[in-house]
Amino acid sequence: MKQFEANFDGLVGPTHNYAGLSYGNVASLNNASASSSPKQAAKQGLKKMKALAELGMVQGVLAPQERPDIASLRRLGFGGTDANVLAMAAKQAPAIFQACCSASSMWTANAATVSPSADTSDGKIHFTPANLTNKYHRSLEPQVTGRILQATFANKDHFAHHTHLPDNEHFGDEGAANHTRLCSEYGKTGLEMFVFGRYAFDTSKPAPKKFPARQTLEASQAVARLHGLSDANVVYVQQNPDLIDQGVFHNDVIAVGNQNVLFYHEQAFYQSAQAIAEIKQKFVGEELHFICVKTAEVSVQDAIKSYLFNTQIITLTNGEMAIIAPTDCKENPAVSAYLTSLIKQNTPIKHVYYHDVKESMRNGGGPACLRLRVAMTEKEYAAVNQSTLINDIQFERLNTWVDKHYRDTLHVNDLCDPQLLIESRTALDELTQLLSLGSVYPFQQI
């Protein structure tokens, strides 16, 4: 049976905006309050999805969250009509209001952690939505994320869904952004690499001093237990605390893996030699390629600015690997020179394809942030909600839907406009029909 890895990208929502909410994410903070282009952002994302589908990849789409989040604002005591809720919250608690308008659900690398059936004890693909407790604006996501995932992967014979971890900083979980799977083939048992920032129950251990460590060891261990993973096929690696303090808020900002390739910066991990040794010991299969980028080749700051490691590594139909990189990598002299050199080296990576995702980059997320990886078999693929898969027809439908419903320009001050809420809900209601999701949003369940 054929096995492959599918990418499910987050669709940028109709209220895409730059609120600068993510402390520790340099790009997010630098672009706070700038005007955004929801239509352009959505089209950039769809164009990347279509490009990967045309390369022979299995490509899917995940629906965005509803924003502004009226239900959360009502929980916080803002009442009356929806228009009154918007006006009252924007006036009385503007910071809370902006948090409830966050565009961050577009980054589906934070949607969940996924373990394929080849790794799990019951032979099903397991999903655990990330609780994202470190940031209030992201902690609003997991319930709806869970419903969207269940509607996308609905067949209980093949897919197992878990409730997100407890909503507490001790179990802070950021999903696949801190998770990498190494394997010889997608359908064979792999080595799941969980990268964490701190120990929640032992403050004597190393931890960052400036920016928060969003992922705890205890959260990673809990997800591994929920997914029925064997200890022999799991490694827990601590992120370098110094790099978190430099703005490397997730592991996927400084490392990325695919099959038998681990591509990482030499400063990525705490006690790196020990971590690499454990990976070598536990990995089962053909030669494992460690592509370690030296600081002299690419500085940490250049890696962050260009999102060199927030690229996607995909395996093409001919067996060669390609990097899907933002155009920012091409525009950075050091990074561009490194990638030009990399594809000539003796590694599986032979191609680099650049994509313009600047609307996402300005908000703090590159190509890898935009996708959730799901390794699956042909039988599991057939069990996926087929309306969520990208082909020429569905691409045109979604592109037309964006043209119909999205604004060209949006400023943070527009978020309290009641008409924008009506436009957004109309769009999302139509989207759930296009993707055959059912009623996943709170406004659809009233």
Side-chain angles (χ1 to χ4, degrees):
M1 185 180 297
K2 184 180 178 182
Q3 304 97 11
F4 44 82
E5 183 175 80
N7 289 283
F8 283 79
D9 282 31
L11 186 59
V12 177
T15 59
H16 169 68
N17 68 92
Y18 300 136
L21 299 170
S22 190
Y23 182 67
N25 182 328
V26 176
S28 173
L29 296 175
N30 287 345
N31 290 287
S33 299
S35 294
S36 63
S37 175
K39 182 177 291 186
Q40 184 180 13
K43 284 179 169 291
Q44 285 176 353
L46 284 167
K47 187 176 179 181
K48 181 176 85 73
M49 294 183 221
K50 187 172 188 289
L52 263 69
E54 289 174 345
L55 286 172
M57 303 296 102
V58 175
Q59 179 67 56
V61 61
L62 294 176
Q65 303 265 332
E66 178 202 359
R67 295 293 181 269
D69 187 344
I70 297 294
S72 290
L73 289 171
R74 289 187 181 281
R75 284 185 64 197
L76 297 175
F78 300 104
T81 64
D82 288 342
N84 286 341
V85 170
L86 292 171
M88 190 184 306
K91 182 178 180 179
Q92 297 180 7
I96 293 173
F97 174 70
Q98 287 192 2
C100 290
C101 296
S102 169
S104 57
S105 70
M106 63 194 283
W107 298 315
T108 54
N110 296 121
T113 303
V114 183
S115 294
S117 55
D119 297 353
T120 61
S121 58
D122 62 0
K124 296 181 181 181
I125 300 177
H126 283 244
F127 299 84
T128 297
N131 59 24
L132 303 169
T133 58
N134 187 258
K135 299 286 181 287
Y136 173 68
H137 68 282
R138 301 228 60 180
S139 72
L140 304 176
E141 298 174 19
Q143 289 86 356
V144 172
T145 295
R147 289 200 288 269
I148 291 171
L149 288 171
Q150 289 172 41
T152 305
F153 306 96
N155 191 313
K156 294 181 179 179
D157 291 336
H158 296 287
F159 310 118
H161 294 272
H162 304 279
T163 303
H164 62 281
L165 298 182
D167 296 305
N168 183 278
E169 64 175 9
H170 286 73
F171 294 98
D173 177 28
E174 299 283 311
N178 289 321
H179 175 263
T180 295
R181 180 176 184 263
L182 302 171
C183 60
S184 58
E185 296 180 22
Y186 292 124
K188 292 186 177 180
T189 301
L191 179 64
E192 301 205 16
M193 177 179 169
F194 291 84
V195 181
F196 65 96
R198 67 182 177 93
Y199 296 77
F201 290 88
D202 188 348
T203 56
S204 69
K205 297 289 189 180
K209 297 178 176 61
K210 179 182 179 182
F211 290 139
R214 304 186 186 187
Q215 184 87 25
T216 68
L217 170 65
E218 293 81 358
S220 297
Q221 291 171 328
V223 171
R225 285 192 295 269
L226 286 169
H227 292 193
L229 304 180
S230 166
D231 289 342
N233 301 318
V234 173
V235 291
Y236 302 101
V237 178
Q238 185 169 9
Q239 194 175 352
N240 183 346
D242 293 337
L243 260 64
I244 295 176
D245 282 337
Q246 292 182 54
V248 180
F249 52 98
H250 289 139
N251 178 64
D252 69 0
V253 178
I254 206 69
V256 60
N258 177 59
Q259 289 189 315
N260 65 329
V261 169
L262 182 62
F263 180 44
Y264 65 103
H265 196 277
E266 67 173 338
Q267 297 186 50
F269 310 122
Y270 178 70
Q271 297 182 332
S272 184
Q274 180 178 324
I276 298 302
E278 184 179 3
I279 293 170
K280 287 180 179 178
Q281 177 193 346
K282 289 188 171 182
F283 182 79
V284 177
E286 59 188 84
E287 179 186 2
L288 189 54
H289 295 265
F290 292 94
I291 304 176
C292 178
V293 181
K294 304 297 183 183
T295 304
E297 296 173 305
V298 177
S299 69
V300 171
Q301 287 308 307
D302 275 342
I304 294 172
K305 290 175 185 176
S306 66
Y307 271 14
L308 168 61
F309 297 98
N310 200 249
T311 50
Q312 294 174 248
I313 304 178
I314 60 173
T315 301
L316 302 172
T317 53
N318 65 2
E320 295 179 344
M321 293 190 191
I323 286 181
I324 307 299
T327 51
D328 301 62
C329 286
K330 193 174 185 179
E331 295 160 3
N332 183 296
V335 172
S336 178
Y338 178 82
L339 289 173
T340 299
S341 171
L342 173 61
I343 60 177
K344 299 174 184 177
Q345 297 174 19
N346 186 28
T347 81
I349 300 174
K350 299 301 180 187
H351 310 273
V352 178
Y353 300 116
Y354 294 100
H355 289 272
D356 182 0
V357 289
K358 288 191 183 295
E359 283 288 321
S360 175
M361 291 285 287
R362 291 188 186 116
N363 228 2
C369 283
L370 289 165
R371 61 93 173 93
L372 185 68
R373 307 161 78 175
V374 186
M376 59 177 66
T377 65
E378 285 181 314
K379 186 177 290 187
E380 291 160 346
Y381 170 76
V384 173
N385 175 350
Q386 299 294 297
S387 296
T388 64
L389 298 173
I390 294 294
N391 51 40
D392 289 342
I393 294 174
Q394 196 65 321
F395 171 79
E396 291 299 334
R397 286 173 178 163
L398 291 171
N399 223 30
T400 300
W401 171 81
V402 169
D403 284 330
K404 177 182 177 182
H405 293 289
Y406 280 48
R407 295 187 180 186
D408 290 307
T409 305
L410 188 72
H411 192 271
V412 290
N413 293 335
D414 298 328
L415 295 168
C416 58
D417 178 4
Q419 182 58 36
L420 179 64
L421 178 67
I422 294 170
E423 292 171 14
S424 176
R425 285 180 168 177
T426 301
L428 295 178
D429 194 52
E430 186 176 316
L431 179 66
T432 57
Q433 298 172 53
L434 284 173
L435 301 182
S436 303
L437 298 177
S439 299
V440 295
Y441 298 112
F443 75 85
Q444 295 176 313
Q445 301 173 346
I446 297 173

